[in-house]
C-alpha cells in the first residue's frame, strides 16, 4: 500500500469516528422542484391552485383567495388593491378573501425571509 492510500484511509477513518463524513450533493432547479412541497392557494369557491415551480401566476379576472400555504417556497400574493402578503417557507397565511391578482413563487430565499 502506498503512502497516499494509507493517508486517505486514515482520514476517512478519522472523519467517520468524529461523525464528519461529508457526502457531496448536487442540486438544480429541476431536482428542487421534485423534492419540494408545493405552494397551495385556496379560494372561496373551494378550489385550490398548487404550484411547485417558480414563476408568476396572474388571475384575470382576480379571484377571492382565503389561505396560502407556502410549502418549500417564498414569494408573495398581490391583491387587486395593490397590497401584498409576503410568505416564507413552511408558513400559512390568511389572505382574508381578498381579490387576488398575482401569485409570485420563488425557489430562492427572499430578502424578507432572512
Amino acid at each position: 500500500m502506498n503512502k497516499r492510500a494509507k493517508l486517505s484511509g486514515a482520514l476517512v477513518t478519522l472523519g467517520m469516528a468524529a461523525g464528519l463524513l461529508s457526502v457531496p450533493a448536487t442540486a438544480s432547479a429541476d431536482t428542487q422542484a421534485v423534492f419540494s412541497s408545493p405552494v397551495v392557494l385556496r379560494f372561496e369557491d373551494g378550489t385550490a391552485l398548487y404550484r411547485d415551480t417558480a414563476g408568476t401566476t396572474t388571475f384575470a379576472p382576480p379571484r377571492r383567495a382565503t389561505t396560502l400555504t407556502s410549502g418549500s417556497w417564498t414569494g408573495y400574493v398581490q391583491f387587486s388593491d395593490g397590497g401584498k402578503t409576503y410568505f416564507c417557507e413552511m408558513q400559512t397565511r390568511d389572505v382574508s378573501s381578498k381579490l387576488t391578482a398575482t401569485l409570485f413563487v420563488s425557489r430562492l430565499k427572499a430578502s424578507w425571509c432572512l
Side-chain angles (χ1 to χ4, degrees):
M1 184 181 273
N2 66 31
K3 288 181 182 181
R4 181 175 285 178
K6 284 183 183 180
L7 179 59
S8 178
L11 289 175
V12 169
T13 303
L14 178 62
M16 289 177 69
L20 301 174
L21 184 60
S22 176
V23 178
T26 58
S28 68
D30 294 333
T31 59
Q32 187 170 359
V34 171
F35 295 115
S36 67
S37 57
V39 171
V40 181
L41 184 60
R42 297 191 185 285
F43 299 98
E44 274 189 346
D45 65 5
T47 62
L49 171 72
Y50 292 80
R51 286 291 306 258
D52 62 358
T53 58
T56 303
T57 302
T58 303
F59 302 98
R63 297 184 63 191
R64 290 202 183 275
T66 57
T67 58
L68 178 131
T69 305
S70 64
S72 304
W73 303 86
T74 64
Y76 62 83
V77 178
Q78 184 167 5
F79 306 106
S80 294
D81 64 6
K84 291 181 182 177
T85 294
Y86 297 91
F87 59 89
C88 300
E89 302 94 348
M90 307 312 286
Q91 293 182 330
T92 298
R93 295 281 192 226
D94 176 15
V95 291
S96 302
S97 298
K98 293 181 180 178
L99 281 173
T100 303
T102 305
L103 171 65
F104 172 75
V105 176
S106 176
R107 69 179 57 90
L108 302 175
K109 183 173 272 192
S111 60
W112 54 86
C113 298
L114 300 177

